[in-house]
Amino acid sequence: MRTVTSKFAHQVCKSFPELTFDFIDRSPTSKDRIDFHGPANAKVKLNFSSNSVEIDDVFVLGSLRGRGNTRRLTQALYMAAEKLQFDKLKLVAAQEGRFAWLVLGFTPTQDLWYQNLSSSRG
């Protein structure tokens, strides 16, 4: 799992080179957490038991908004998840940000918004 976590973090930063990351929680459970920092920031958990990437606390500083940084981060996370064959991207969306997530292809569920990756693999 740790090899996958490291590959995931490096793949995201390869797609969005302005990002840096920290491994926060490499727990013995089935989730590893990575915090990404840069023009867009996010807390990301790789959930190996559900084969999903869980995105939380996405934010962009006011001076960096309107430049496509959230879209770039989302695309980098999507590409890394797809490359490493995760099935879903899940995210917790604040009420005020939900329209932006709709535009980026996420679908609301009871508790989370998700983007199904397995359907794009055919």
Side-chain angles (χ1 to χ4, degrees), residues 40-88:
N41 302 273
K43 294 177 183 175
V44 176
K45 289 181 183 172
L46 304 183
N47 187 332
F48 298 102
S49 63
S50 66
N51 202 36
S52 63
V53 177
E54 301 171 359
I55 308 164
D56 198 4
D57 290 338
V58 176
F59 69 94
V60 176
L61 296 175
S63 62
L64 297 174
R65 290 187 181 151
R67 300 180 187 181
N69 289 312
T70 300
R71 179 180 299 276
R72 288 181 65 205
L73 174 63
T74 304
Q75 288 170 338
L77 293 169
Y78 179 92
M79 291 186 320
E82 188 173 50
K83 182 173 182 141
L84 295 172
Q85 299 195 347
F86 283 93
D87 292 330
K88 291 182 181 178

Side-chain angles (χ1 to χ4, degrees), residues 4-122:
V4 173
T5 303
S6 181
K7 284 181 182 179
F8 183 88
H10 286 92
Q11 183 65 39
V12 170
C13 291
K14 182 179 178 184
S15 299
F16 195 167
E18 296 89 342
L19 292 177
T20 60
F21 63 89
D22 298 309
F23 294 116
I24 302 300
D25 183 27
R26 289 184 163 194
S27 66
T29 65
S30 59
K31 293 183 182 182
D32 285 354
R33 186 172 132 200
I34 309 164
D35 283 4
F36 290 97
H37 313 281
N41 302 273
K43 294 177 183 175
V44 176
K45 289 181 183 172
L46 304 183
N47 187 332
F48 298 102
S49 63
S50 66
N51 202 36
S52 63
V53 177
E54 301 171 359
I55 308 164
D56 198 4
D57 290 338
V58 176
F59 69 94
V60 176
L61 296 175
S63 62
L64 297 174
R65 290 187 181 151
R67 300 180 187 181
N69 289 312
T70 300
R71 179 180 299 276
R72 288 181 65 205
L73 174 63
T74 304
Q75 288 170 338
L77 293 169
Y78 179 92
M79 291 186 320
E82 188 173 50
K83 182 173 182 141
L84 295 172
Q85 299 195 347
F86 283 93
D87 292 330
K88 291 182 181 178
L89 289 179
K90 298 179 179 181
L91 99 112
V92 177
Q95 186 67 33
E96 62 272 7
R98 290 186 176 195
F99 178 75
W101 296 115
L102 279 171
V103 171
L104 291 173
F106 286 86
T107 305
T109 63
Q110 180 86 3
D111 298 318
L112 296 171
W113 290 50
Y114 73 93
Q115 190 169 48
N116 194 337
L117 298 176
S118 55
S119 64
S120 67
R121 288 192 205 121

